[in-house]
Each structure stands twice: as C-alpha cells, then as structure tokens.
Amino acid sequence: LGNIPTVIVIYLPRLFVSVCVVIVAQVCRLGAWMIDETSDVIRHPKINKRILIITDYLPPQTHGIAVRFQQYIQNMRKAGHEVHVFATTQRPELETSWDHPRLPSVVNPWNVKNRMAYNSGARLAWQLGSRQWDVVHVVFPSLIGAFVIAVCGWRRIPVYCSHHVDMDFYAARYTRFKLVLSFGMFMYNLLARWPCERGASVNAAPTLKFLHNHMRVDAARARRIPTGVAVEAFTAKADQQATERSLLLQTVGASEPTRLLL
C-alpha cells in the first residue's frame, strides 16, 4: 500500500488547507475588484481560451490517455490557447512555465508506474480560487475531482469531465475481497462519480454505452462529438487492399482463389 495509510491520516488536514487557500484567493480577488485591478478579476472575451487541465496521466507514462493528452496540450497551445496543466508527473523536456507536474500524490498500488493525486495542493487551490478560466478539464479517474468541481461550481466556471476507465469492470477484477471492493467503489462514487453527475458542465466518454453504464446521464442531452482519430490513415484504398492481399497470399504460400481468415 506504500504511503496510502499516511495519506488517509493527512487527507482531511490537507483538504482543509486547500479550502483555506481558495477562500484567501477569493478575498484577494475581491480586493483587486475594489481597487479596480480588473485585468484578471473580470475576463473579457478574447480570441484565445484560458484552459486548465488537471490529470494524473501524462508522459513518461506510455498508455493511450497519457500520449493523447500530451498531443491535446501541444496542439491547443499551437492554436494560441493558454493551456495550464496540473499533473503528477511529466517528461522534463516537455515541461513549460504553464506546466505544474507536482500535485501531491501516491503510487497507484494497482499500477506502480502511475501516481494518483490525492490533494490539489496549495498551488492548484490558488489557481482555482484566484484566476478566471474559460474551462477546467478534469481527467478521470481522479481522486481530487470532487474538490475541483465544488470550487468551479461555486465560481461558475465550466467543468469538462472526461472518463477513460471502466472502474466497475476493472475494480471487480483487480480486487479479490468484496469488502475492500465495496469500500473502494463507495469512495470512488463519493470522490468522482456522484460529483460529476451533479456538478460537471459536460461528462464525456469514449462511447455512449460506456457513458450511460458509468453514470446517470439524461439521454436527451447526450451528444456525439467528432472522433479525434484520423480515420483515413487506417482505411486502405482499393489498390492497397489488392497489393496487401497478394503479399499475404505469397507469405502463406497460397494462390487465388483462396479464402483468408484473420
């Protein structure tokens, strides 16, 4: 379990500190408004967006979520958007002044190559309380989603929650003891699923079926968004299909007409 028992002990004190930081940040915003320092107190429409991404998944992790989000971040910055990232880790050569890969975290006992943030930390709490954001994107699974959604709801900042892992499926297969499984899923519901259902502006998932299985979503409000996959790169043209079939037949030592089952 690593440092998890220690985290359980210090979780509430650190959460209290984070809440205090948000309150102090809000008081400072009020003071700035009173003396007419409104450059960041009131964010007027601009040609670019100020985006905050909170994720436990970035390179050097090599799975699809980490690689995809690094691409999202780089391409949104190339498009001129101000993208700030709070994460548990990041490759040093990719880190910019807008990246903060130092969220308080512990090693994931089910995936030791991944670290899970258990608290926002003072820096993220200050950013949530002091700055104006066009959108905050929280990547799930996450243990700090409830805190982020609560602060954004209080400040009326849009929150985009993307869900990438079928927790009901994997938790049942990685956990042998039913009591531990029940407690773990209750905590996941408390810290992630229920806050998303009630407080997120948008909940997104890879498929509509996964989204409906994962949480209660009004079917009338569900929308399909364009895929981020370059479909044409994975679609073979007619002449390419013929060439590949010929090479495959040659490889297996067969000739036309032969039915191939792959």
mmCIF file of all heavy atoms in Angstrom, residues 1 9 16 25 39 41 109 111 136 189 245:
data_model
loop_
_atom_site.group_PDB
_atom_site.id
_atom_site.type_symbol
_atom_site.label_atom_id
_atom_site.label_comp_id
_atom_site.label_asym_id
_atom_site.label_seq_id
_atom_site.Cartn_x
_atom_site.Cartn_y
_atom_site.Cartn_z
ATOM 1 N N LEU A 1 0.810 -1.218 0.000
ATOM 2 C CA LEU A 1 0.000 0.000 0.000
ATOM 3 C C LEU A 1 0.848 1.275 0.000
ATOM 4 O O LEU A 1 0.327 2.365 -0.181
ATOM 5 C CB LEU A 1 -0.920 -0.002 1.229
ATOM 6 C CG LEU A 1 -2.029 -1.067 1.232
ATOM 7 C CD1 LEU A 1 -2.826 -0.976 2.516
ATOM 8 C CD2 LEU A 1 -2.931 -0.923 0.029
ATOM 9 N N VAL A 9 -4.421 9.584 6.809
ATOM 10 C CA VAL A 9 -4.325 10.373 8.034
ATOM 11 C C VAL A 9 -4.284 11.869 7.733
ATOM 12 O O VAL A 9 -4.931 12.678 8.412
ATOM 13 C CB VAL A 9 -3.088 9.952 8.855
ATOM 14 C CG1 VAL A 9 -2.893 10.882 10.055
ATOM 15 C CG2 VAL A 9 -3.225 8.514 9.319
ATOM 16 N N PHE A 16 -8.442 20.760 4.232
ATOM 17 C CA PHE A 16 -8.789 21.995 4.941
ATOM 18 C C PHE A 16 -7.869 23.136 4.502
ATOM 19 O O PHE A 16 -8.332 24.265 4.269
ATOM 20 C CB PHE A 16 -8.675 21.774 6.450
ATOM 21 C CG PHE A 16 -8.908 23.021 7.262
ATOM 22 C CD1 PHE A 16 -10.186 23.533 7.428
ATOM 23 C CD2 PHE A 16 -7.836 23.693 7.858
ATOM 24 C CE1 PHE A 16 -10.402 24.684 8.179
ATOM 25 C CE2 PHE A 16 -8.042 24.838 8.601
ATOM 26 C CZ PHE A 16 -9.325 25.341 8.768
ATOM 27 N N ALA A 25 -7.739 33.313 -1.724
ATOM 28 C CA ALA A 25 -7.657 33.762 -3.116
ATOM 29 C C ALA A 25 -8.887 34.565 -3.512
ATOM 30 O O ALA A 25 -8.791 35.590 -4.208
ATOM 31 C CB ALA A 25 -7.482 32.563 -4.044
ATOM 32 N N SER A 39 -7.817 43.227 -14.402
ATOM 33 C CA SER A 39 -7.267 42.519 -15.556
ATOM 34 C C SER A 39 -7.582 41.030 -15.525
ATOM 35 O O SER A 39 -7.773 40.395 -16.554
ATOM 36 C CB SER A 39 -5.744 42.721 -15.618
ATOM 37 O OG SER A 39 -5.131 42.225 -14.439
ATOM 38 N N VAL A 41 -9.720 39.754 -12.766
ATOM 39 C CA VAL A 41 -10.946 39.569 -11.995
ATOM 40 C C VAL A 41 -12.128 39.382 -12.935
ATOM 41 O O VAL A 41 -12.977 38.518 -12.744
ATOM 42 C CB VAL A 41 -11.184 40.762 -11.051
ATOM 43 C CG1 VAL A 41 -12.526 40.627 -10.345
ATOM 44 C CG2 VAL A 41 -10.056 40.862 -10.033
ATOM 45 N N PRO A 109 -1.346 1.551 -6.230
ATOM 46 C CA PRO A 109 -0.972 0.167 -5.888
ATOM 47 C C PRO A 109 -1.331 -0.844 -6.966
ATOM 48 O O PRO A 109 -0.779 -1.945 -6.994
ATOM 49 C CB PRO A 109 -1.741 -0.099 -4.588
ATOM 50 C CG PRO A 109 -2.886 0.866 -4.605
ATOM 51 C CD PRO A 109 -2.379 2.089 -5.324
ATOM 52 N N ASN A 111 -1.141 -0.014 -10.267
ATOM 53 C CA ASN A 111 -0.320 0.332 -11.438
ATOM 54 C C ASN A 111 0.838 1.184 -10.934
ATOM 55 O O ASN A 111 0.734 2.408 -10.863
ATOM 56 C CB ASN A 111 -1.152 1.088 -12.475
ATOM 57 C CG ASN A 111 -0.334 1.493 -13.695
ATOM 58 O OD1 ASN A 111 0.819 1.083 -13.845
ATOM 59 N ND2 ASN A 111 -0.914 2.305 -14.570
ATOM 60 N N VAL A 136 -12.354 24.324 -17.221
ATOM 61 C CA VAL A 136 -11.465 23.444 -16.466
ATOM 62 C C VAL A 136 -11.769 22.014 -16.888
ATOM 63 O O VAL A 136 -12.921 21.576 -16.839
ATOM 64 C CB VAL A 136 -11.660 23.603 -14.943
ATOM 65 C CG1 VAL A 136 -10.845 22.560 -14.187
ATOM 66 C CG2 VAL A 136 -11.273 25.005 -14.500
ATOM 67 N N ASN A 189 -17.290 6.587 -5.910
ATOM 68 C CA ASN A 189 -18.559 7.279 -6.149
ATOM 69 C C ASN A 189 -18.586 8.623 -5.431
ATOM 70 O O ASN A 189 -19.042 9.636 -5.978
ATOM 71 C CB ASN A 189 -19.728 6.414 -5.675
ATOM 72 C CG ASN A 189 -19.939 5.195 -6.544
ATOM 73 O OD1 ASN A 189 -19.531 5.172 -7.707
ATOM 74 N ND2 ASN A 189 -20.563 4.166 -5.985
ATOM 75 N N ARG A 245 -3.235 -8.072 -50.145
ATOM 76 C CA ARG A 245 -3.739 -9.448 -50.264
ATOM 77 C C ARG A 245 -2.747 -10.314 -51.025
ATOM 78 O O ARG A 245 -2.477 -11.450 -50.650
ATOM 79 C CB ARG A 245 -5.099 -9.451 -50.962
ATOM 80 C CG ARG A 245 -5.644 -10.858 -51.197
ATOM 81 C CD ARG A 245 -7.038 -10.850 -51.807
ATOM 82 N NE ARG A 245 -7.449 -12.187 -52.178
ATOM 83 C CZ ARG A 245 -7.932 -13.088 -51.331
ATOM 84 N NH1 ARG A 245 -8.085 -12.775 -50.058
ATOM 85 N NH2 ARG A 245 -8.292 -14.298 -51.743
#
